[in-house]
């Protein structure tokens, strides 16, 4: 025991001496002997504490406490240890401090107890977290063991709770931000949903409301209490908003209780007042406590709801304004002052309130009711819809159904929709009212609303029923008067009149709120009187209906229907249109619903062409929304405002808008004839011709259905339909339509002019399509129309332009120039003649009336063509005189005259007819002047500049270039101008610029044929003949029939290509198109001898020898006449060439005598060596050959041989001619001649090795002569021909046949059939793509494959892929021994017996 005491004493001394190791040693020594020694554990803990061995020290202190818990020494040491560790052991500190304080309470040591508590709380505040600090404050709260003992020494509970509230508020705010920040980054998270979820979690777990309530309970400060009552309500309200619907009920009751408490105390906390007011589900606003409403206005004068309430409480519709003991304010003398606020000021105040507080359902409800009272139904509907939206939000937030408020807002909206843009919104209004009646069957407002809607729908019996039901529930003069009016509208005017007269005394005349009702009743009484007696005398009587209308206006000067009725009275009965118009204007100014007044005004404005005013009236009526009846309504829609607006837009050239307007009119009135016509005209003017056709056809169907019920003429629809047909190119239908109109309106200038122009357009279309006869028929028909027009309207620009146009058609179809009606045109031109009309530019073109008369007397075609050109020019000159006062029309007239002068220059016939060849450019110079005058009048027209460039290209290239560039500057998308510029550069030799311009033209319009023609000319100039030919062919494909330059270039390039081929080959297809082009060209030009000659050559290649001979005969006659006039050697050479070609055609035709004669003529005329030697040689060679063959067929063999020898000499022994001569010698039949022929062929082979014709002919002669030596000599050459690629189709056929005959007649060591089969197989192996080897092989075997391959290869060699003719293809089909192939063989060549034989075999 002494050892323990000494060790404790030593430990105590070591601690005092700061020798902590010795202290630890001695303490442990004590504990070794007495483990439960309290002081040893305390000393050990203190030593460890001094050495900062905190965990060991804590264990030592706790061991001491375990043995002696009621001793404060160990607790003090533990507290000291915790204080040294800052806030790391604050939770342990809390327990230690509380136990130590409790020990001090036990010994009744208040001072030390307070010190421990204060020290701990202060330490927790400084070193702990907010949560730990809040936990430390718990020991100071009522209910704690220490609170009762230290009460008065520690903080008052209100302050403690306040600090706790502040801590909890900060913690919750921090948690909200943290959780939202973390969750919003999750995939698919939405910020609104995340915020709502976090708020709900935090607010549900919060105990702030309890803390606030404790503060309220303990505080002595009324201001603080009110402040925390506000916080308590706000927190409860926020929690209510966050809770799900199923948990809102209890919390809502708490919120209502708190809010009502604040309202009772009249505390100015807006949330409490608004919750109390907004959540009170009252049917009428009058059910709210007026005192609460007025107190709210006083407490929150700047709040939006307060402003609305202020305006409402003192307005004329509010019962509170009469019952309130204090209307507005008190004056200085204490007397009450009534409100002096005007309606406008009140409306401004309430509107400002709505803007300040747009989410208040009560404010919106009050505002909606006030708008309905003021009959501002549009604003009422808009406000009610906002109220519905906010009411839904409020219901979701509070969990309250608020059925009465919802029905009240529905009544406001329904009532507004009944009147706003009626009847557009009537279905919605009916739905609202029916929903309310389903819940409240006796709601008078809903019954009245349905009654009004049914009245508008003209379901008058039902309307009366609903109104009378409402009248039983809520007696009202207004409802009674409405029911009476419904009876009047139903035709019972007498009953309606009596009931309306009963209502009239019940209206308080002194009440300004009923003036509109009184005016309405008086007006309706007047209408009943008006309709009871419809005689003119009764309606004129000013003491009857008229007097009621006047009384109505005396009651209310702004009652619009009365003005309308007075307008009808003044216009139709008093014959005072001016006063009637003013009444209509006043009615329409007051109300856009006055449709009758608006219609009368629109008609009046339309008669005076005041289209702007018509548009204003129509647009306002449309915007009123009263035009279209609701679905299911018996009331007819009103379509005239849309139709009137469409007419205005049609006159303003706003065609898309007019289409929409007329379509709207037709949706309302599908049988509105004039709307269909207007719609069709709008479609026509906007280029939508198919739609226009349908519209006019529908209008014509209505004509048939309605007949005489349609007012006015109906010819306009037929006329417009004809215009549509004209635009889409259906000229026959258009002309028929015009004629149908003219049958009933003979002097209708517009229709006659349209018919004339359509006939001319049809003529030009036929010219472009190549139907020249039809074009002339159209022109002659147009001439009849012009003859009729000129008798009663000869001063029209379009008439003379059309006459010029119809005359110019003949200049483009010159083959019909003999049918030009000279006398008829002369009669037109001299009708009402004025000498100055034809005097324009006579100094340049020398074209005047005398010149036309002199040319009209000649009967030659050239003179007739000249007369036609004169007629065109004179007609266009007269057109200029008809448009003196119209600058734009004069510009077009000069433009037309310029092209007429240019056309005269192109035809160039008038000058020839008159014998004047000195001034060949007179028409071109006149054209230049015309285009200059046109440009002076309209310098911004690109076509005028383009035309000037064309006519000056030959006269002045610089001016032409400037004109083209100027035209493109105005319109750079003009393909014609780019083409003309390209050709101009081509003429001037600048190929690069020409190419660039032509490419630009092609890119702008790929279908512009002249651009491709220009490219072809450029390629030909550069020597790229193949490219040029392709370009000419493409230009011809896309060009119309009037493009003569394209036809000429295409035909010439095709002939040049055919002449460049080594043999006279070329498919029929390749010749057919240029031949057709030249046929059209011959119809369009007179005496185009070069191209007629080309046409004859193509006809010859086509095998049409008769037509070729006829063409060449005409050509020879024309050249002979030309030679007689000019005696030109060039003409003589052309004549000789034509004779040689004629001889060749006649030879092919079988006219051998004529062929021989013409050949001799060609030889006689080409004997001179003047001119082109190359052409002369070809002419003579052709003539010698034709003469030789003709004499051969005539039997003049000697003459034939002589001609061939001359041909050989001319051609320097051409091998083809040697072959021809050898055939003739062989045909003579003598041994000597046959020997000479063989010798000629041998000599030819030596000189021209490999000549195909020579080898084939020598082989054939050898077989016929049975000359085996020659056959052996020529066989190798014949077999060598099989591998050559330059054989024509005919030569391949001849070679195959010859080898077959040789194999059959001279088989050698092989059998004849085997030899033939070997030869055929060899031919197939060498050229498997040729049909002849397969045909030969199929004839030697019964196998089907060779014949099938023969057909397949023959089809591939047929035109246009190859040159296999119809006879060869027919023979191939005949060799298959199949019935269908035999039929094909007969179809291809019915003159060949092989096809018929094959058909007989299979039949």
């Amino acid at each position: 025991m002494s050892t323990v005491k000494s060790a404790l004493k030593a430990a105590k001394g070591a601690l005092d001496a700061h020798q902590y190791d010795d202290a630890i040693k001695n303490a442990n020594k004590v504990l070794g002997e007495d483990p439960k020694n309290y002081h040893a554990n305390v000393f050990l803990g203190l030593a460890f504490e001094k050495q900062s061995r905190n965990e060991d020290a804590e264990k030592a202190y706790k061991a001491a406490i375990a043995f002696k818990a009621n001793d404060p020494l160990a607790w003090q040491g533990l507290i000291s240890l915790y204080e040294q560790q800052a806030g790391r052991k604050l939770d342990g500190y809390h327990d230690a401090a509380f136990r130590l304080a409790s020990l001090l309470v036990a010994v009744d040591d208040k001072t030390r107890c307070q010190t421990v508590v204060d020290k701990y709380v202060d330490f927790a505040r400084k070193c702990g977290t907010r949560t730990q600090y809040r936990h430390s404050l718990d020991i100071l709260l009522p209910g704690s063991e220490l609170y009762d003992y230290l009460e008065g020494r520690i903080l008052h509970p209100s302050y403690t709770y306040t600090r706790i509230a502040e801590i909890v508020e900060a913690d919750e705010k921090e948690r909200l931000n943290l959780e939202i920040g973390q969750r919003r980054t999750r995939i698919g998270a939405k910020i609104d949903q995340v915020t709502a979820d976090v708020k709900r979690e935090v607010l549900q777990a919060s105990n702030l409301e309890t803390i606030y309530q404790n503060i309220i309970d303990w505080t002595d400060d009324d201001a603080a209490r009110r402040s925390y009552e506000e916080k308590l309500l706000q927190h409860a309200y926020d929690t209510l908003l966050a809770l799900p619907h199923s948990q809102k009920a209890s919390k809502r009751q708490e919120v209502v209780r708190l809010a009502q408490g604040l309202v009772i105390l009249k505390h100015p906390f807006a949330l409490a007042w608004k919750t109390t007011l907004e959540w009170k589900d009252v049917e009428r606003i009058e059910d709210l406590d007026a005192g609460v409403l007025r107190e709210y206005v006083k407490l929150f004068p700047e709040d939006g709801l307060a402003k609305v309430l202020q305006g409402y409480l003192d307005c004329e519709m509010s019962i509170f304004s009469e019952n309130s003991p204090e209307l507005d304010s008190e004056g200085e003398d204490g007397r009450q002052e009534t409100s002096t606020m005007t309606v406008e000021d009140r409306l401004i105040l309430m509107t400002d309130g709505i803007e300040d507080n747009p989410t208040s359902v009560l404010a919106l409800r009050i505002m909606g009711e006030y708008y309905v009272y003021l009959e501002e139904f549009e604003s009422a509907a808009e406000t009610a819809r906002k109220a519905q939206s906010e009411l839904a939000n409020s219901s979701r937030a509070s969990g309250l159904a608020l059925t009465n408020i919802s029905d009240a807002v529905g009544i406001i909206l329904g009532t507004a929709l009944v009147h706003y843009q009626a009847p557009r919104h009537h279905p919605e209004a009916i739905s609202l009212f029916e929903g309310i009646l389903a819940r409240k069957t006796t709601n008078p407002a809903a019954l009245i609303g349905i009654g009004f809607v049914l009245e508008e729908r003209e379901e008058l019996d039902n309307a009366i029923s609903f109104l009378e039901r409402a009248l039983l529930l809520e007696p009202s003069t207004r409802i009674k008067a409405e029911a009476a009016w419904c009876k009047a509208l139903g035709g019972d005017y007498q009953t309606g009149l009596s009931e309306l007269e009963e209502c009239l005394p019940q209206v308080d005349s002194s009440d300004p709120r009923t003036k509109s009702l009184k005016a309405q009743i008086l007006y309706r009484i007047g209408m009943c009187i008006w309709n009871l007696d419809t005689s003119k005398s009764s309606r004129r009587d000013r003491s009857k209906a008229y007097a009621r209308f006047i009384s109505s206006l005396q009651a209310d000067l702004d009652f619009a229907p009365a003005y309308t009725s007075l307008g009808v009275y003044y216009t139709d009965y008093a014959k005072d249109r001016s006063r009637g118009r003013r009444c209509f204007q006043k009615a329409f100014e007051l109300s856009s619903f006055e449709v009758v007044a608006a219609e009368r005004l629109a008609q009046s404005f339309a008669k005076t062409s005041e289209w702007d005013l018509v548009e204003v009236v129509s647009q306002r009526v449309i915007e009123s929304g009263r035009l279209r009846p609701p679905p299911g309504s018996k009331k007819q829609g009103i379509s005239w405002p849309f139709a009137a607006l469409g007419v205005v837009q049609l006159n303003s050239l706003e065609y898309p808008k007019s289409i929409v307007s007329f379509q709207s009119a037709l949706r309302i009135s599908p049988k509105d004839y004039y709307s269909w016509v207007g719609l069709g005209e709008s479609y026509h003017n906007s280029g939508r011709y198919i739609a226009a056709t349908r519209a006019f056809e529908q209008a014509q169907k209505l004509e048939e259905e309605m007949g005489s019920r349609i007012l006015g003429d109906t010819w306009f629809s037929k006329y417009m339909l004809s215009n549509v047909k004209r635009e889409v190119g259906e000229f026959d239908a258009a002309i028929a339509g015009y004629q149908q109109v003219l049958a009933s309106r003979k002097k209708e200038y517009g229709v006659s002019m349209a018919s004339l122009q359509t006939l001319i357009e049809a003529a030009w279309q036929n010219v472009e399509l190549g139907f020249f006869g039809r074009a002339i028929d159209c022109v002659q028909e147009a001439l009849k129309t012009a003859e009729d027009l000129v008798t009663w309207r000869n001063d029209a620009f379009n008439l003379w332009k059309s006459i010029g146009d119809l005359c110019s058609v003949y200049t483009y179809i010159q083959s019909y120039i003999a049918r030009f009606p000279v006398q008829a045109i002369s009669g037109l031109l001299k009708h009402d003649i004025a000498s100055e009309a034809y005097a324009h530019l006579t100094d340049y073109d020398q074209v005047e009336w005398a010149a036309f008369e002199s040319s009209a007397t000649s009967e030659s075609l050239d003179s007739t063509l000249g007369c036609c050109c004169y007629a065109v020019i004179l007609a266009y000159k007269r057109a200029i005189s008809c448009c003196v006062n119209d600058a734009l029309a004069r510009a077009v007239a000069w433009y037309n005259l310029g092209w007429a002068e240019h056309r005269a220059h192109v035809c160039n016939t008038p000058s020839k007819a008159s014998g004047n060849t000195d001034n060949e450019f007179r028409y071109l110079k006149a054209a230049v002047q015309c285009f200059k005058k046109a440009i002076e009048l309209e310098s911004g027209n690109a076509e005028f500049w383009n035309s000037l460039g064309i006519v000056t290209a030959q006269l002045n290239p610089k001016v032409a270039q400037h004109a083209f560039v100027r035209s493109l500057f105005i319109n750079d998308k003009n393909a014609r101008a780019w083409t003309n510029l390209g050709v101009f550069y081509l003429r001037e030799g600048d190929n690069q610029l020409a190419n660039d311009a032509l490419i630009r033209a092609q890119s702008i319009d790929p279908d512009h044929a002249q651009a491709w023609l220009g490219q072809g000319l450029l390629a030909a100039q550069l020597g790229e003949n193949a490219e040029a030919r392709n370009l000419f062919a493409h230009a011809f494909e896309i060009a119309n029939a009037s493009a003569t330059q394209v036809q000429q270039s295409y035909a010439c390039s095709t002939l040049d290509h055919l002449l460049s081929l080594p043999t006279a080959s070329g498919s029929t297809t390749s010749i057919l198109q240029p031949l057709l082009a030249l046929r059209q060209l011959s119809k369009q030009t007179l005496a185009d001898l070069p191209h007629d000659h080309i046409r004859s050559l193509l006809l010859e290649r086509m095998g049409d020898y008769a037509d070729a001979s006829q063409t060449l005969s005409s050509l020879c006659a024309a050249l002979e006449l030309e030679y007689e006039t000019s005696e030109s050697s060039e003409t003589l050479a052309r004549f000789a060439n034509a004779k040689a070609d004629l001889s060749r055609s006649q030879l092919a035709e079988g006219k051998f005598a004529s062929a021989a004669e013409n050949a001799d003529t060609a030889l006689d005329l080409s004997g001179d060596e003047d001119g082109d030697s190359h052409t002369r040689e070809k002419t003579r060679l052709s003539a010698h050959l034709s003469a030789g063959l003709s004499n051969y067929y005539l039997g003049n063999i000697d003459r034939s041989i002589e001609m061939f020898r001359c041909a050989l000499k001319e051609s320097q022994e051409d091998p083809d001619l040697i072959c021809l001569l050898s055939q003739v010698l062989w045909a003579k039949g003598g041994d000597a001649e046959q020997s000479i022929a063989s010798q000629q062929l041998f000599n030819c082979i030596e000189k021209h090795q490999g000549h195909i014709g020579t080898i084939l002919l020598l082989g054939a002669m050898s077989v016929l002569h049975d000359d085996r030596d020659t056959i052996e000599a020529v066989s190798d050459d014949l077999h060598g021909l099989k591998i050559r690629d330059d054989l024509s189709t005919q030569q391949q056929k001849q070679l195959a046949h010859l080898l077959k005959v040789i194999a059959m007649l001279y088989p050698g060591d092989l059998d004849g059939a085997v030899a033939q089969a070997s030869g055929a197989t060899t031919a197939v192996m060498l050229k498997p793509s040729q049909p002849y080897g397969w045909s030969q092989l199929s004839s030697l075997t019964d196998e089907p494959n060779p014949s099938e391959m023969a057909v397949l290869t023959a089809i591939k060699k047929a035109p246009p892929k190859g040159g296999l003719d119809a006879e060869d293809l027919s023979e191939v089909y005949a060799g298959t021994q199949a019935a269908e192939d035999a039929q094909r063989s007969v179809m291809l060549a019915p003159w060949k017996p092989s096809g018929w034989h094959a058909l007989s075999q299979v039949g």
Side-chain angles (χ1 to χ4, degrees), residues 1173-1189:
S1173 60
H1174 181 69
T1175 304
R1176 175 179 169 277
E1177 289 175 0
K1178 286 193 172 185
T1179 301
R1180 292 184 63 80
L1181 178 60
S1182 175
H1184 277 119
L1185 291 174
S1186 299
L1189 290 172

Side-chain angles (χ1 to χ4, degrees), residues 341-363:
M341 187 181 299
T342 63
V343 175
E344 291 77 10
D345 293 338
R346 181 177 295 107
L347 195 58
I348 292 173
L349 176 65
M350 297 173 74
T351 304
D352 290 342
I354 292 294
E355 291 178 356
D356 294 341
N357 192 358
T359 62
S360 172
V361 177
L362 178 59

Side-chain angles (χ1 to χ4, degrees), residues 448-682:
I448 294 170
I450 293 178
F452 281 140
V453 172
L454 294 175
E455 178 185 346
E456 182 68 28
R457 289 184 177 180
E458 297 185 356
E459 299 179 21
L460 299 174
D461 292 338
N462 292 332
I464 294 170
S465 174
F466 275 92
L467 291 173
E468 289 179 347
R469 284 171 59 189
L471 192 60
L472 293 174
L473 295 170
E474 186 178 303
S476 169
T477 303
R478 184 182 298 273
I479 300 173
K480 183 177 180 181
E482 199 66 41
W485 178 241
C486 288
K487 294 176 182 178
L489 292 177
D492 190 357
Y493 295 109
Q494 188 60 53
T495 303
L497 176 61
S498 14
E499 291 185 1
L500 286 169
E501 288 177 341
E502 290 176 5
C503 294
L504 188 60
Q506 300 174 12
V507 180
D508 186 2
S509 302
S510 61
D511 189 351
R513 293 181 292 182
T514 59
K515 65 176 184 179
S516 176
L517 176 60
K518 182 177 181 180
Q520 184 185 69
I521 293 174
L522 286 167
Y523 161 75
R524 290 177 174 179
I525 290 173
M527 291 302 300
C528 290
I529 296 172
W530 182 272
N531 290 302
L532 276 172
D533 188 355
T534 58
S535 63
K536 289 186 177 180
S537 58
S538 175
R539 290 189 172 181
R540 286 198 189 104
D541 190 349
R542 292 183 174 239
S543 64
K544 293 185 177 181
Y546 174 80
R548 303 306 189 281
F549 297 146
I550 294 297
S551 299
S552 174
L553 291 178
Q554 289 173 348
D556 185 0
L557 283 174
D558 294 333
F559 190 70
Y563 285 106
T564 301
S565 298
L566 283 175
V568 173
Y569 171 83
Y570 286 126
T571 303
D572 296 345
Y573 298 97
K575 305 303 180 183
D576 190 346
R577 295 184 180 275
S578 175
R579 184 175 291 181
R581 181 169 176 173
R582 289 198 298 272
C583 288
F584 290 136
Q585 288 177 337
K586 182 64 175 178
F588 192 61
E589 286 175 6
L590 292 172
S591 174
S592 60
F593 294 169
E594 293 303 308
V595 180
V596 174
E599 185 175 10
R600 295 291 189 109
L601 283 176
Q603 291 173 351
S604 174
F605 292 141
K607 289 178 182 178
T608 57
S609 298
E610 298 177 77
W611 299 112
D612 292 342
L613 296 178
V614 174
E615 180 180 13
V616 170
V617 172
S618 303
Q619 192 66 48
R620 189 174 176 211
V621 175
I622 291 170
E623 291 173 355
S624 70
R626 297 183 66 90
L627 303 184
R628 293 185 177 90
S633 174
K634 298 179 181 179
K635 189 174 182 179
Q636 295 294 325
I638 302 172
S639 63
W640 71 260
F642 288 107
L645 186 61
V647 172
V648 173
Q649 292 162 343
L650 197 60
N651 288 329
S652 303
L653 308 182
E654 297 175 339
Y655 303 123
K657 293 182 179 179
S658 67
I659 290 172
V660 174
S661 297
F662 285 122
Q663 285 177 338
S664 301
L666 290 169
R667 289 190 188 100
I668 299 173
S669 301
K671 293 190 176 183
D672 186 352
Y673 170 79
Y674 294 104
S675 291
W676 280 110
V677 175
L679 179 63
E681 187 175 359
S682 300

Side-chain angles (χ1 to χ4, degrees), residues 262-270 272-274 277 291-303 306 309:
L262 289 173
V263 170
I264 292 171
L265 295 174
K266 297 184 180 181
H267 179 65
F269 182 49
W273 291 84
K274 288 183 178 180
L277 293 174
V292 173
L293 298 179
R294 293 190 180 279
E295 196 65 36
Y296 183 84
V297 173
K298 290 181 180 180
L299 292 175
F300 310 100
E302 299 301 322
D303 181 74
L309 289 173

Side-chain angles (χ1 to χ4, degrees), residues 670-718:
K671 293 190 176 183
D672 186 352
Y673 170 79
Y674 294 104
S675 291
W676 280 110
V677 175
L679 179 63
E681 187 175 359
S682 300
Y683 277 135
H684 168 265
N685 293 338
S686 60
R688 298 169 62 179
Y689 301 119
I690 303 301
T693 301
R694 293 174 181 170
F696 287 125
E697 289 175 348
Q698 183 63 31
Q700 291 184 354
K701 287 181 182 178
L702 291 176
E703 290 177 20
E704 298 174 359
E705 293 175 3
M706 303 176 71
S708 60
R709 285 183 291 167
I710 299 179
L711 299 178
D713 295 327
T714 59
W715 64 270
F716 186 72
S717 66
K718 299 182 179 65

Side-chain angles (χ1 to χ4, degrees), residues 144 329 494 515 1142 1147 1307 1327 1345:
S144 170
S329 60
Q494 188 60 53
K515 65 176 184 179
L1142 176 61
L1147 172 64
K1327 291 189 176 180
N1345 293 334

